[in-house]
């Protein structure tokens, strides 16, 4: 029997190979496995692409990580995150930690919340499900929180106004506070343990890429090809043409590569793609994240693992501090940062590097630009999927065709979704279970 072909050796592809009970062929275009969780070392500082912290909910995955892939190699870290607004640090999540902001801002947030949840002003929204992300924010947090953090921050992150986005994606990613939590936060008794990432796991050595390396090390029953990529897919003949000139037959195909690219590759095959599917794939949108890896002299000035920057005078939307999260990620007396920008191609890497230093100084994360040891920008294409009005119908059209073609998808890119590392592993497991029958 022909092997199962898996496109992309990120966590979803590695997980698929791990759980398969049939021969497999794993294809990866870069020089090593890991996908988005490739750790880069610059002058002794370890950088993961925009911070990858591990959250495990599934018992089987917990067992695998703790006993097979990274036994006794994980440390648990309690999140210390903040929002920097009105020249003030407040603990994250913002909606339950407003103490310390100007009194008029705290009052506006609190009154807006009460009006949204209990008042006449919020009645109309309470009587139906939110139709977009802006309505979700107004429905569950009110006009004050919307104005002072949620709308400006999310517009900066997602590159579009929240009213242009669906509310379907928020799930566990956007916590909805209770009245007690909001009042406690206004009085200085708030909690920073709200949300899915209040604590997380991280490898003791080697950065987050050590997880991918461990998964690869324990693979059996198949063949991995790196520096190789698909150039076309014939779904009727069940064949993948590769960049090295070979054509590989398959009995099943799992893709974790970007969904629009998958449709394009199928379109280049002899069996082709219907016009309506090709058009739907073109409606699927994402944006670029440029992150700037920064090293600075001296220990971290602030205690925060990362900070959110909602205000327009900051070009970046978030600054991470790997050395504050876990000290071994930078040499002694060195602070490391990952400064993040979202855009659609209009921001050059050189400008991002300049803005990163400016934002670090302005947010008081470093003392002076003279402290900078290096600032090196990197780009992530398709970093975040846009859940706009076109998303649902376009995904339905593409997925109907893929089901007809017998092609499975997994992972953040393959599923074209906003999801976690564990979600990618779970997606690979689901594909393997389907193919194992």
């Amino acid at each position: 029997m022909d092997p199962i072909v898996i496109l992309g050796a990120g966590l979803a592809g590695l997980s698929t190979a791990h759980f398969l009970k049939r021969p497999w062929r794993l294809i990866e275009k870069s020089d090593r496995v890991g996908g988005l969780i490739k750790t880069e070392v610059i002058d002794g500082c370890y950088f993961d692409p925009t911070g990858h912290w591990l959250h495990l909910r599934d018992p089987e995955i917990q067992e695998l990580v703790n006993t097979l892939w990274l036994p006794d190699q994980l440390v648990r870290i309690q999140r210390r995150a903040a929002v920097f607004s009105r020249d003030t640090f407040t603990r994250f999540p913002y909606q339950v930690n407003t103490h310390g902001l100007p009194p008029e801002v705290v009052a506006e947030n609190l009154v807006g919340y009460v009006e949204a949840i209990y008042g006449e002003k919020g009645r109309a929204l309470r009587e139906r499900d939110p139709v977009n992300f802006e309505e979700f924010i107004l429905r569950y947090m009110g006009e004050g929180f919307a104005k002072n953090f949620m709308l400006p921050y999310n517009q900066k992150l997602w590159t579009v106004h929240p009213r242009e986005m669906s509310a379907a994606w928020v799930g566990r990613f956007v916590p909805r506070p209770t009245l007690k939590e909001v009042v406690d936060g206004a009085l200085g008794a708030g909690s920073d343990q709200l949300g899915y990432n209040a604590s997380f796991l991280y490898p003791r050595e080697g950065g987050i890429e050590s997880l991918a390396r461990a998964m690869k090390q324990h693979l059996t029953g198949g063949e991995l090809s790196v520096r190789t990529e698909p150039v076309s897919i014939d779904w009727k003949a069940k064949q993948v043409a590769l960049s090295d000139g070979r054509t590989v037959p398959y009995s099943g195909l799992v893709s974790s590569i970007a969904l629009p690219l998958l449709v394009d590759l199928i379109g280049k095959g002899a069996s082709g793609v219907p016009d309506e599917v090709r058009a739907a794939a073109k409606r699927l949108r994402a944006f670029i994240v440029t992150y700037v890896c920064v090293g600075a002299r001296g220990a971290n000035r602030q205690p925060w693992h990362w900070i959110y920057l909602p205000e327009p005078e900051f070009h970046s939307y978030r600054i991470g501090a790997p050395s504050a999260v876990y000290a071994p990620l930078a040499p002694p007396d060195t602070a490391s940062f990952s400064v993040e920008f979202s855009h659609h191609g209009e921001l050059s890497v050189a400008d991002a590097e300049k803005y990163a230093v400016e934002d670090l100084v302005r947010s008081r994360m470093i003392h002076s630009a003279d402290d900078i040891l290096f600032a090196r920008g990197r780009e992530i294409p398709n970093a975040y999927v846009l859940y706009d009005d076109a998303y649902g119908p376009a995904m339905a059209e593409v997925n109907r065709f893929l089901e007809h073609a017998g092609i499975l998808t997994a992972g953040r890119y393959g599923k074209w979704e906003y999801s976690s590392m564990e979600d990618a592993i779970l997606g690979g497991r689901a594909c393997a279970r389907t193919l194992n029958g």
Side-chain angles (χ1 to χ4, degrees):
M1 180 181 287
D2 293 327
I4 304 295
V5 170
I6 308 164
L7 304 180
L11 291 183
L14 291 167
S15 173
T16 303
H18 173 87
F19 286 102
L20 274 173
K21 297 177 181 177
R22 296 166 56 183
W24 49 265
R25 180 78 176 273
L26 182 54
I27 308 298
E28 171 56 43
K29 72 175 182 179
S30 72
D31 62 351
R32 64 191 197 272
V33 303
L36 269 183
I37 65 163
K38 293 187 178 77
T39 302
E40 181 179 10
V41 184
I42 303 175
D43 294 349
C45 296
Y46 288 70
F47 295 95
D48 305 323
T50 73
H52 276 80
W53 319 118
L54 192 56
H55 317 284
L56 299 177
R57 309 179 310 280
D58 183 89
E60 183 181 18
I61 304 305
Q62 289 177 354
E63 179 74 11
L64 270 172
V65 171
N66 290 323
T67 63
L68 179 65
W69 292 333
L70 293 173
D72 302 317
Q73 294 178 54
L74 293 172
V75 293
R76 180 165 291 279
I77 297 168
Q78 296 298 314
R79 178 191 67 204
R80 292 199 307 267
V83 175
F84 188 73
S85 64
R86 306 297 178 108
D87 202 38
T88 300
F89 288 107
T90 54
R91 289 184 300 167
F92 178 82
Y94 178 90
Q95 53 267 43
V96 295
N97 286 293
T98 54
H99 182 72
L101 290 167
E104 64 273 15
V105 175
V106 177
E108 189 174 33
N109 290 341
L110 184 54
V111 170
Y113 177 86
V114 172
E115 287 179 339
I117 304 301
Y118 304 104
E120 192 64 32
K121 198 171 185 179
R123 180 182 297 276
L125 282 178
R126 294 199 299 272
E127 291 175 347
R128 58 181 171 81
D129 292 333
V131 299
N132 57 48
F133 187 29
E134 180 185 36
E135 283 199 0
F136 175 91
I137 294 166
L138 293 170
R139 163 68 179 85
Y140 293 107
M141 295 170 221
E143 291 181 354
F145 284 119
K147 169 190 167 185
N148 293 313
F149 177 69
M150 292 297 294
L151 292 181
Y153 174 75
N154 281 290
Q155 180 159 5
K156 186 188 286 190
L157 167 61
W158 296 100
T159 72
V160 298
H161 194 281
R163 75 173 63 96
E164 298 179 45
M165 297 176 60
S166 163
W169 66 274
V170 294
R172 71 184 189 274
F173 296 111
V174 182
R176 294 183 287 179
T178 65
L179 176 61
K180 184 179 187 306
E181 289 168 337
V182 170
V183 172
D184 284 348
L187 297 175
S191 170
D192 57 4
Q193 295 306 298
L194 189 67
Y196 76 99
N197 61 353
S199 70
F200 48 87
L201 300 169
Y202 194 77
R204 293 183 188 278
E205 297 179 346
I208 197 62
E209 190 177 336
S210 62
L211 173 59
R213 288 195 296 265
M215 292 175 72
K216 173 193 170 186
Q217 180 183 346
H218 289 91
L219 288 180
T220 59
E223 178 184 347
L224 167 67
S225 298
V226 296
R227 301 185 184 88
T228 307
E229 59 185 311
V231 294
S232 68
I233 298 169
D234 187 334
W235 62 272
K236 289 182 179 177
K238 292 192 171 184
Q239 295 178 339
V240 179
L242 302 177
S243 56
D244 60 11
R246 290 176 292 173
T247 297
V248 179
Y250 65 81
S251 58
L253 181 64
V254 178
S255 173
S256 66
I257 65 176
L259 191 57
L261 173 58
L262 173 65
V263 172
D264 183 58
L265 291 172
I266 300 171
K268 292 177 179 177
S271 302
V273 169
D275 290 343
E276 61 271 22
V277 176
R278 192 187 301 272
K282 290 183 182 303
R283 293 196 297 272
L284 296 175
R285 300 168 64 203
F287 56 86
I288 301 166
V289 164
T290 296
Y291 65 101
V292 180
C293 305
V294 178
R297 295 182 186 86
N300 283 89
R301 182 182 179 188
Q302 306 293 347
W304 312 114
H305 295 162
W306 60 86
I307 63 169
Y308 300 89
L309 301 166
E311 295 173 339
E313 57 264 36
F314 294 95
H315 289 88
S316 57
Y317 64 86
R318 184 170 62 186
I319 296 175
S323 55
V325 177
Y326 187 51
L329 294 178
D333 203 35
T334 302
S336 60
F337 303 95
S338 179
V339 187
E340 302 166 35
F341 308 81
S342 55
H343 59 101
H344 291 273
E346 68 276 12
L347 178 68
S348 71
V349 169
D351 282 344
E353 291 169 349
K354 180 183 72 171
Y355 295 147
V357 176
E358 294 174 358
D359 285 359
L360 282 165
V361 174
R362 189 181 294 120
S363 64
R364 304 204 300 267
M365 294 296 278
I366 63 174
H367 291 280
S368 163
D370 294 336
D371 297 335
I372 298 297
L373 299 170
F374 60 82
R376 300 182 192 174
R378 307 286 187 264
E379 283 191 351
I380 305 174
N382 302 319
Y384 288 91
V385 168
L386 270 175
Y387 288 81
D388 57 14
D389 289 341
Y391 177 85
M395 286 295 295
E397 187 72 50
V398 171
N399 285 329
R400 275 194 297 269
F401 168 74
L402 292 178
E403 183 177 3
H404 173 68
I407 297 172
L408 301 177
T409 58
R412 186 182 187 124
Y413 290 156
K415 286 290 188 184
W416 204 249
E417 65 183 9
Y418 178 55
S419 57
S420 69
M421 286 190 286
E422 187 187 34
D423 292 328
I425 297 172
L426 291 171
R429 183 182 71 180
C431 288
R433 285 177 172 174
T434 298
L435 292 164
N436 289 338

